[in-house]
Amino acid sequence: MWNVLLSFSGLVALIQLLFLPFFPESPPYLLMQKEDKAGCLKAMKQLWGEGNYHTEFDDLMKEKAMTKGTKIMSVLEVLRERSVYPQLCTMLLLLLSLQLCGLKIFLTANLQESIIPYVSLGVSISELISIMFCSSIIDRFGRRMLLGGGYFLMALILVLLETSLLLSDQFLWLRYCSVILIFLFIIAYGLGP
């Protein structure tokens, strides 16, 4: 029943993708990154209904003033910062533990059992790379675009993955396409959702 479970996550992503355009951008993002005060107030009204949000807006303005002199660090600068090493180690251990994930899909794709651990390690590494890449582009494109694009790509990849797994007995080369699609799914997930 793994294919039903996999399809369910695709259905949830599709529902989120359909409703995403109707939600406003995050008010802190609009104010601090885009410097759009009117858009920030409009987003607050859309999210929380009619009301007086001057206290929240003033808090965001204070936070913006406090962070005005603060330099936004790049990914490489964060990696060089010793104070984040414990968090980075925890994240790496979590990503490396994903080696055991997806074994059922790899077995269904009829891959040799001896190469499955290496493919799983590749999936973990691709997730790490995509998360690092996403953190460097999120300020440029915004969360909405990355979420929408990520969910769209994930839905498309899931359809292709299911098709390749169903046809892998007839066409042997589709087994390797399934592995590539899993890598692409993880990358799409890391870029947005």
Side-chain angles (χ1 to χ4, degrees):
M1 298 295 290
W2 66 267
N3 52 352
V4 175
L5 184 62
L6 187 65
S7 301
F8 180 73
S9 64
L11 178 66
V12 171
L14 182 63
I15 291 170
Q16 290 178 351
L17 180 63
L18 290 175
F19 286 104
L20 189 63
F22 301 106
F23 289 102
E25 286 285 355
S26 165
Y29 170 77
L30 288 171
L31 184 64
M32 294 182 190
Q33 300 293 327
K34 297 288 187 178
E35 297 184 9
D36 183 7
K37 293 178 182 179
C40 176
L41 286 171
K42 182 181 175 188
M44 285 179 172
K45 287 180 183 176
Q46 255 186 301
L47 289 170
W48 301 320
E50 290 298 322
N52 187 359
Y53 302 110
H54 291 291
T55 306
E56 290 86 358
F57 186 78
D58 290 340
D59 288 343
L60 286 175
M61 289 299 289
K62 288 176 188 174
E63 185 178 340
K64 182 180 177 187
M66 286 178 14
T67 60
K68 190 172 188 172
T70 306
K71 180 185 173 227
I72 297 176
M73 298 173 71
S74 69
V75 176
L76 289 175
E77 290 171 334
V78 171
L79 291 175
R80 291 183 191 133
E81 182 66 37
R82 290 191 176 273
S83 63
V84 298
Y85 282 177
Q87 294 89 343
L88 285 174
C89 289
T90 303
M91 185 180 73
L92 284 174
L93 286 174
L94 179 65
L95 291 175
L96 291 176
S97 68
L98 289 174
Q99 290 181 24
L100 300 176
C101 295
L103 290 177
K104 179 66 177 171
I105 293 175
F106 297 143
L107 289 173
T108 303
N110 293 324
L111 294 177
Q112 296 174 357
E113 284 192 41
S114 61
I115 65 167
I116 289 177
Y118 299 108
V119 174
S120 295
L121 180 62
V123 167
S124 300
I125 291 170
S126 66
E127 183 174 9
L128 178 65
I129 291 169
S130 67
I131 289 170
M132 290 172 59
F133 180 68
C134 177
S135 64
S136 65
I137 64 169
I138 195 166
D139 289 334
R140 179 174 296 146
F141 295 107
R143 290 186 176 140
R144 177 185 286 185
M145 184 174 178
L146 290 179
L147 275 172
Y151 279 131
F152 177 76
L153 285 174
M154 287 169 59
L156 178 66
I157 291 168
L158 284 174
V159 169
L160 293 173
L161 178 63
E162 184 68 25
T163 305
S164 70
L165 288 173
L166 289 173
L167 298 175
S168 65
D169 289 335
Q170 296 171 343
F171 304 101
L172 296 178
W173 58 272
L174 280 177
R175 296 174 182 177
Y176 299 102
C177 286
S178 299
V179 173
I180 292 169
L181 287 169
I182 291 170
F183 277 87
L184 291 176
F185 181 82
I186 296 297
I187 290 170
Y189 176 77
L191 286 178

